[in-house]
Amino acid sequence: MNHRLSDEHEQLRRTVAEFARDVIAPVIGDYYERHEFPYDIVREMGKLGLFGLPFPEEHGGMGGDYLALGLVLEELARVDSSVAITLEAGVSLGAMPIHLFGTQEQKAEWLPRLCSGEILGAFGLTEPDGGSDAGATRTTARLDEATNEWVINGSKCFITNSGTDITGLITVTAVTGTTPDGRKEISAIIVPAGTPGLTVAAPYSKVGWNASDTRELAFTDVRVPVRNLLGERGRGYAQFLRILDEGRIAIAALATGLAQGCVDESLKYARERKAFGRPIGANQAIQFKLADMEMRAHTARLAWRHAASKLVAGERFKKEAALAKLYSSETAVDNARDATQIHGGYGFMNEYAVARFWRDAKILEIGEGTSEIQRLLIARELGLADLNGAR
């Protein structure tokens, strides 16, 4: 693996780093404290083409790859995770299912507006009683042959980008029947925003990611045309497993950005803050803590880039994605804790970025598959699942 970025990738990284520093950093703290979605920032991200990065130009995208998306997410999260997760969910969960599994008509209808940032897409997977057991889906979709419509009933929770003023669609997983062996047949269906019967709850009161949109959804006899089926009927479970595998690389890049942001802020503070007549960075205890933080962020970066390189090359990447997501999310939590400690009492004050980083870090060990699920996936990839039936 060549760890050097191409000139094109490096230019993209620099451009987004400058955007994050000059446009996002000065204002995002106020959005965060007001729990307000940053529409103007999202609009500027759309103008930069960030929502269309990994999609083909024929559908309004930039013709880039998943490495480019990861670089952007890392640089955004280095300053703020609310903005980064808005992009990550909009691309990986909102537009990617349409790109991978949609018909030509569905792609033509949705992708240009998703790629431009004119609208956001959401992915309705998690349910109140489901959590990590995504196969326990209870939401149903019944085919009404008289009207040629799907009739959807059920609920989803923790859905990012599902209730903004620019949300355009929600892809919903639902039980559409029973397989020959008696299991649930799960399919994915596109539900346009504003469809009658779709109820979008008020935003959650969250610990972190306070400038992003996260809501619960209810479906009461929601009717959409049969053509809104995304991909093959009964393949919804397999489809969202692929979406999650790719999304874990994106979350790993985001977590790496948060971890590096903790290093950035702590280095600056260690040089400026004086105690006992000298900068606290002169103390070996602070130096060692920062060295460990940099080591973890660097290793996390190598992990997500390695997983992305395998994805871009068309190689199997499930284990590498799980490794990257597990390590980088735990690195984000560790670095946020250490950054807060370095800042002392100021680290507990919301005016400092590390307080925001600390609040944002923990969800990274939960969303897109918990740390426990990542360890399970890695163990399976090592062949240990075969031992369950051994005697």
Side-chain angles (χ1 to χ4, degrees), residues 83-104:
V83 171
I85 195 59
T86 297
L87 178 66
E88 191 279 333
V91 173
S92 298
L93 302 179
M96 191 60 72
I98 308 292
H99 169 62
L100 291 178
F101 311 116
T103 63
Q104 289 303 315

Side-chain angles (χ1 to χ4, degrees), residues 287-301:
Q287 293 174 359
F288 281 11
K289 197 178 290 290
L290 275 162
D292 286 343
M293 292 167 65
E294 176 69 7
M295 174 189 66
R296 291 191 292 255
H298 177 75
T299 306
R301 182 173 300 109

Side-chain angles (χ1 to χ4, degrees), residues 74-305:
E74 181 178 336
E75 292 301 331
L76 292 176
R78 199 165 175 169
V79 169
D80 178 71
S81 291
S82 291
V83 171
I85 195 59
T86 297
L87 178 66
E88 191 279 333
V91 173
S92 298
L93 302 179
M96 191 60 72
I98 308 292
H99 169 62
L100 291 178
F101 311 116
T103 63
Q104 289 303 315
E105 291 76 13
Q106 289 168 341
K107 293 177 182 179
E109 178 180 1
W110 295 110
L111 281 181
R113 288 187 290 162
L114 289 167
C115 289
S116 69
E118 176 189 345
I119 62 172
L120 296 175
F123 192 64
L125 170 63
T126 306
E127 298 192 0
D129 295 327
S132 296
D133 186 7
T137 300
R138 293 186 178 181
T139 297
T140 62
R142 173 181 59 85
L143 183 57
D144 186 342
E145 295 183 357
T147 61
N148 213 27
E149 294 175 316
W150 293 105
V151 184
I152 305 171
N153 285 278
S155 62
K156 302 290 180 177
C157 62
F158 312 136
I159 310 304
T160 304
N161 292 344
S162 60
T164 73
D165 293 345
I166 57 174
T167 298
L169 68 98
I170 302 157
T171 300
V172 179
T173 53
V175 178
T176 52
T178 305
T179 63
D181 58 1
R183 294 181 298 174
K184 294 178 179 178
E185 176 193 84
I186 299 176
S187 305
I189 300 172
I190 299 171
V191 178
T195 301
L198 169 60
T199 301
V200 181
Y204 287 105
S205 176
K206 296 175 293 187
V207 172
W209 285 0
N210 287 334
S212 72
D213 179 80
T214 318
R215 306 187 190 229
E216 186 171 2
L217 306 174
F219 302 84
T220 306
D221 290 334
V222 172
R223 289 178 172 268
V224 298
V226 68
R227 65 175 181 274
N228 282 27
L229 177 71
L230 183 63
E232 182 182 344
R233 177 171 176 170
R235 294 289 296 169
Y237 191 82
Q239 289 171 15
F240 74 66
L241 286 180
R242 177 173 174 181
I243 292 297
L244 291 179
D245 282 340
E246 295 188 2
R248 284 171 184 137
I249 300 175
I251 290 295
L254 189 157
T256 301
L258 188 152
Q260 190 63 56
C262 289
V263 177
D264 298 341
E265 294 296 324
S266 297
L267 275 173
K268 181 172 64 176
Y269 187 80
R271 291 188 176 103
E272 296 173 353
R273 172 66 169 165
K274 292 185 178 180
F276 304 104
R278 62 177 185 173
I280 63 171
N283 298 316
Q284 194 175 70
I286 300 297
Q287 293 174 359
F288 281 11
K289 197 178 290 290
L290 275 162
D292 286 343
M293 292 167 65
E294 176 69 7
M295 174 189 66
R296 291 191 292 255
H298 177 75
T299 306
R301 182 173 300 109
L302 294 177
W304 83 252
R305 288 190 183 181

Side-chain angles (χ1 to χ4, degrees), residues 258-259 262 293 296 330-341 354-355 357-362:
L258 188 152
C262 289
M293 292 167 65
R296 291 191 292 255
E330 294 191 348
T331 286
V333 171
D334 289 342
N335 276 19
R337 182 190 61 245
D338 285 351
T340 302
Q341 191 70 20
V354 295
F357 293 163
W358 186 58
R359 293 162 68 179
D360 290 340
K362 181 58 188 174

Side-chain angles (χ1 to χ4, degrees), residues 342-358:
I342 289 172
H343 281 71
Y346 291 108
F348 204 62
M349 300 295 113
N350 284 326
E351 64 187 277
Y352 282 79
V354 295
R356 192 168 70 247
F357 293 163
W358 186 58

